[in-house]
Amino acid sequence: EAKLAIGFTEPEEKKLARYLETAVGRDALLHSLNQQRSRKTEIGEGFDDLSAAIWTLLDRCQQTGDARVAKMAMMLSQTFYREKPFDLEDEPDEATSPTSRGEGEGSGTDVTSRDTIAETVQRRSYARGSREYIKSALVEHPLWQDMLFWDAACWESIREALSSDGDEVALWHELGPDAARDAVLRVHNIVFSQIGAYAHSMVEFGCKRGKARQFVRRLCSAYQLGEEQRHMLLKLPLLDDEE
């Protein structure tokens, strides 16, 4: 089992692992994270511990085949973050700064200390605005290389989207030709969007582009998408092999 360097003590880690062996425990952690997301997503010093907790959650999801919780954990890992600290080494060399180069001298424009301060504040605000998401600590997890997970997660999302699509429910044999055609198109569009989203996530979480393209081809065939939609999916920026 892959291991993540964590901030928990060994007893805490074992207790968490036992708790997450149960579906109730996994759902409880997700519920807590969703509650936290509604309040604050910047987690600061809790970054390492939350990374460790979600890593352990993914371990248990892989062992139990719990694609539903794993895909939600994947989404949450792209929500929680910490601000990257400002690094003085990122400061531009003074020799290349406007004041050191003498820009403005003799040109009718004075470079004042206020200008220099403003530039420094702006550079530092950009540095503070650099976010590191939990995802970065999880990309090495072996679950992302498991095609059974991606297949199951995609199907789960398709099923959820279909069940929430539209207010009326009708049996296929009750539909007229036009309504049936519209219903098929609606289903294909849902399937198309979910396959595209998961293929993109595969690459984002460390899968090779070729593996994601295979995923697209296989699911397009399984869900009977047309050649045009399959081609469109394979031309997505992260999947296009002609780049």
Side-chain angles (χ1 to χ4, degrees):
E1 181 178 291
K3 188 72 171 178
L4 176 69
I6 63 175
F8 292 143
T9 64
E10 186 173 349
E12 289 172 336
E13 180 186 356
K14 290 181 177 179
K15 184 177 180 180
L16 176 64
R18 287 195 301 269
Y19 183 62
L20 295 177
E21 286 176 357
T22 67
V24 171
R26 294 191 292 273
D27 283 338
L29 178 56
L30 282 183
H31 177 73
S32 296
L33 292 176
N34 276 313
Q35 291 290 100
Q36 175 63 28
R37 180 175 62 171
S38 67
R39 294 190 292 267
K40 187 178 182 182
T41 54
E42 198 281 319
I43 54 176
E45 294 180 356
F47 185 92
D48 290 337
D49 285 345
L50 182 55
S51 298
I54 296 180
W55 183 284
T56 303
L57 175 67
L58 294 174
D59 282 343
R60 297 300 170 258
C61 287
Q62 187 172 25
Q63 292 167 359
T64 60
D66 193 341
R68 178 185 63 83
V69 168
K71 75 180 180 66
M72 294 178 69
M74 177 180 71
M75 296 171 187
L76 288 168
S77 75
Q78 299 173 85
T79 300
F80 293 103
Y81 68 92
R82 66 180 171 188
E83 296 285 359
K84 285 187 176 180
F86 176 70
D87 188 350
L88 289 176
E89 293 181 359
D90 292 337
E91 281 279 11
D93 190 337
E94 289 186 3
T96 64
S97 69
T99 51
S100 63
R101 292 197 306 267
E103 290 184 6
E105 295 179 1
S107 63
T109 302
D110 292 331
V111 180
T112 66
S113 59
R114 178 174 297 179
D115 295 326
T116 306
I117 292 171
E119 290 169 2
T120 302
V121 169
Q122 185 179 43
R123 287 197 301 271
R124 295 193 179 195
S125 67
Y126 287 150
R128 284 197 299 272
S130 179
R131 296 177 176 182
E132 181 181 11
Y133 287 87
I134 291 290
K135 166 193 163 187
S136 65
L138 303 175
V139 291
E140 298 297 327
H141 197 283
L143 176 66
W144 313 130
Q145 303 302 322
D146 186 346
M147 293 305 297
L148 291 177
F149 159 70
W150 293 109
D151 288 356
C154 187
W155 159 243
E156 181 77 18
S157 292
I158 290 170
R159 185 185 63 79
E160 291 172 355
L162 289 173
S163 65
S164 63
D165 181 53
D167 298 326
E168 297 182 0
V169 178
L171 298 176
W172 281 101
H173 70 268
E174 296 176 347
L175 298 176
D178 290 342
R181 185 166 50 251
D182 290 343
V184 170
L185 179 61
R186 188 163 57 249
V187 170
H188 278 190
N189 286 339
I190 288 173
V191 172
F192 172 84
S193 65
Q194 294 298 333
I195 292 176
Y198 276 96
H200 183 276
S201 292
M202 288 179 71
V203 178
E204 287 280 303
F205 279 82
C207 287
K208 298 293 186 182
R209 183 180 301 188
K211 197 170 187 176
R213 289 174 63 84
Q214 290 174 5
F215 171 83
V216 167
R217 293 192 184 96
R218 184 162 43 78
L219 267 64
C220 283
S221 176
Y223 292 111
Q224 300 181 347
L225 294 189
E227 178 65 23
E228 182 179 357
Q229 286 186 309
R230 183 181 71 86
H231 180 72
M232 289 173 64
L233 288 169
L234 293 174
K235 296 298 288 183
L236 290 172
L238 288 183
L239 302 182
D240 190 359
D241 61 359
E242 294 181 1
E243 288 187 339

